[in-house]
């Protein structure tokens, strides 16, 4: 077979060099992040060409098996293909490209040692030790304990678990507890690829006829949206769906290929009906393999203009002519959003751009980094917060004013990886251990310093409230007022009852007390140095920068009620409506 000389793009060569350098120095598993359309298959093929030992490339769909095998054949010797969907079971070549489903069902066929295993779309690897990927990779390790593991993905994030790597070569911590890979060794942003002409320019269209309102959706513990709520909103939005599809058809008159992401199968069926006589098709998880292959083939051949799908075309699908992406479903993370939009960014003849419309008002930017935690609300954006201890520039979810200044952020702990290879200990928000005073994550159940079990807030409150003279004040609003001597902080509950704290501000010591007892605990931007306040009026004017606690624990005294403790970031059975600032 003739080997084609292909000149790698600069970033592709940089990715290859990063992998070689890493594995020369370490046996740790490695991850590379390349956006959709960046040419991961060329990077894989070049690594297969340079590897001294045998290479196994694993992925989850036959389309990617064929694509990776083709590129390997262009750069080096022909690859063996092991995929039931492609009717091939060849494991004897230097490089083998296999579907994980076929390989895991016949692990004994992979009895010869491999020096390198590359997993394409590796964010799909589960942490479950009994999953297909984990069992099969462990089988390969038994044959060669020194096997190198490399993953490639456009989205290094798994919903419910966070980042899929422990450490990042930029010097930040990813996910030390629930990660598949040890280190992210290379990451390429999307913007340079578009700027350099390697991907199509996205055009985000905002003048939309209608939108779905998913802003009040509940999330499960793993960050997933409540699908019953999603279905109920869609079912009650027939008029909006009609207007949306009408606009899509109008805007698509000058477009070649349209992918519509629907929220549910019923929603997809409704969209298909509203498209009328337009050339269209639907693909869902319920579509059988043969029908799906035929539909996708017809779409790629442009016999079908509109392809409606439900959660099945986010990865492993390549139709370069797509120039219109319509998102009609809520999206749980930046990664999922970028996967969907990425379907339309590949280059194609006569294609000048790709129209992107988010009818679900997800509020993500195509260029936004993955934060590693679910988006708190639709107004949140990525913000950069410097650690006051090590000065690392963290990226957290937060909110900004019209000038771009941070008015709130939701960061918990500094993500810096120090020279000692330990994570920076600074915590922007913390849960204090009553035994040793150690700072812990606000969701921690055990102190990381003394290993004491941290008392559940509800259990603690239950015991305290059994005592006489104790009261739990559920905060609904917080008002700041100037008084003759300084500042009054007035907390209000749902019934309009209030509890007031008064702070004198006439001496430097009194002002320092205001900072210690009010400014720092209530700030929405912990870790960021607050302004210098000399008068209560200045604090009142900045009231939007302070957050109200969820609960106040009070105890009766001879002079009234004393504050024992306030609870921020509280989630439990005593929860009431979210605290807010009175306008």
């Amino acid at each position: 077979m003739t080997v084609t000389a292909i000149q790698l793009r600069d970033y592709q060569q940089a990715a290859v060099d990063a992998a070689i350098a890493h594995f020369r120095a370490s046996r740790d598993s490695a991850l590379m992040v390349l956006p959709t359309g960046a040419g991961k298959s060329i990077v894989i093929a070049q690594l297969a060409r340079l590897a001294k030992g045998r290479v196994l490339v694993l992925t989850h769909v036959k389309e990617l098996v064929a694509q990776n095998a083709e590129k390997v054949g262009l750069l080096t010797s022909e690859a063996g293909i092991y995929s039931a969907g492609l009717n091939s079971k060849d494991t004897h070549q230097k490089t083998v490209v296999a579907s994980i489903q076929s390989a895991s069902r016949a692990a004994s066929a992979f009895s010869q040692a491999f020096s390198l295993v590359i997993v394409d779309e590796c964010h799909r690897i589960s942490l479950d030790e009994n999953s297909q990927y984990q069992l099969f990779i462990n089988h390969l390790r038994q044959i060669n304990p020194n096997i190198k593991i490399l993953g490639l993905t456009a989205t290094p994030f798994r919903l419910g678990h966070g980042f899929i790597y422990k450490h990042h070569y930029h010097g930040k911590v990813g996910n030390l507890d629930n990660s598949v890979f040890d280190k992210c060794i290379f990451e390429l942003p999307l913007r340079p690829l578009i700027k350099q002409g390697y991907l199509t320019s996205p055009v985000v269209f905002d003048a939309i006829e209608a939108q779905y309102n998913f802003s009040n959706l509940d999330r499960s513990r793993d960050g997933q949206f409540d699908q019953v709520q999603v279905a109920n909103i869609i079912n009650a939005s027939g008029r909006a769906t009609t207007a949306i599809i009408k606009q899509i058809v109008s805007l698509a008159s000058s477009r070649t290929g349209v992918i519509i992401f629907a929220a549910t199968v019923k929603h997809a069926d409704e969209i298909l009906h509203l498209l009328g006589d337009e050339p269209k098709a639907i693909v869902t998880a319920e579509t059988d393999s043969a029908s799906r292959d035929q539909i996708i083939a017809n779409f790629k051949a442009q016999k079908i203009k509109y392809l409606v799908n439900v959660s099945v075309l986010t990865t492993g699908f390549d139709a370069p002519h797509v120039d219109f992406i319509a998102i009609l479903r809520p999206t749980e993370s930046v990664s999922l959003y970028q996967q969907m939009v990425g379907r339309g960014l590949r280059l194609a003849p006569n294609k000048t751009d790709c129209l992107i419309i988010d009818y679900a008002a997800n509020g993500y930017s195509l260029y936004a980094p993955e934060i590693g935690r679910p988006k708190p609300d639709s107004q949140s954006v990525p913000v950069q917060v410097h650690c006051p201890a090590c000065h690392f520039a963290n990226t957290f979810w937060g909110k900004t004013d019209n000038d771009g200044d941070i008015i709130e952020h939701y960061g918990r702990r500094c993500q810096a990886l120090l020279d000692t290879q330990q994570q920076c200990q600074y915590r922007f928000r913390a849960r204090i251990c009553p035994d040793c005073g150690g700072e812990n994550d606000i969701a921690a159940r055990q102190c990381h310093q003394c290993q004491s079990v941290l008392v559940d807030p509800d259990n603690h409150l239950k015991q305290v409230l059994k005592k006489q003279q104790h009261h739990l004040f559920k905060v609904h609003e917080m008002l700041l007022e100037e008084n003759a001597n300084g500042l009054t902080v007035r907390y209000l509950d749902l019934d309009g009852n209030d509890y007031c704290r008064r702070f004198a501000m006439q001496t430097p010591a009194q002002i320092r007390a205001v900072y210690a007892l009010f400014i720092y605990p209530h700030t929405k931007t912990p870790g960021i140095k607050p302004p210098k306040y000399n008068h209560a009026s200045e604090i009142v004017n900045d009231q939007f920068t302070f957050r109200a606690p969820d609960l106040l624990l009070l105890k009766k005294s001879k002079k009234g009620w004393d504050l024992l403790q306030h609870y921020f970031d509280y989630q439990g059975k005593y929860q009431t409506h979210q605290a807010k600032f009175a306008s």
Side-chain angles (χ1 to χ4, degrees), residues 152-214:
L152 286 89
T153 182
T155 53
F157 177 84
R158 190 173 176 89
L159 200 63
H161 298 285
F163 290 113
I164 61 174
Y165 58 83
K166 293 179 181 178
H167 302 139
H168 194 286
Y169 72 107
H170 283 163
K172 68 179 180 180
V173 171
N175 186 341
L176 297 177
D177 300 320
N178 298 304
S179 54
V180 174
F181 295 92
D182 292 312
K183 187 173 183 179
C184 177
I185 60 171
F186 185 84
E187 182 169 12
L188 179 71
L190 181 64
R191 196 183 298 273
L193 287 178
I194 296 172
K195 187 175 181 180
Q196 295 173 31
Y198 293 129
L199 291 178
T200 298
S201 298
V203 177
V204 180
F205 191 79
D206 294 324
I208 56 181
E209 291 293 331
Q211 273 187 328
Y212 300 111
N213 183 9
F214 294 114

Side-chain angles (χ1 to χ4, degrees), residues 262-279:
T264 65
V265 174
K266 182 179 178 181
H267 185 213
D269 287 333
E270 180 185 8
I271 293 170
L272 207 68
H273 172 73
L274 291 171
L275 285 170
D277 295 331
E278 298 288 341

Side-chain angles (χ1 to χ4, degrees), residues 420-434:
T420 60
Q421 295 305 297
Q422 299 296 317
Q423 184 175 0
C424 176
Q425 292 296 311
Y426 185 83
R427 295 182 184 274
F428 295 88
R429 290 180 171 89
R431 187 175 181 186
I432 307 300
C433 175

Side-chain angles (χ1 to χ4, degrees), residues 307-326:
L307 188 54
V308 185
N309 86 101
V310 184
S311 301
V312 293
L313 298 182
T314 53
T315 60
F317 172 75
D318 180 12
H321 77 285
V322 172
D323 55 1
F324 189 172
I325 299 290

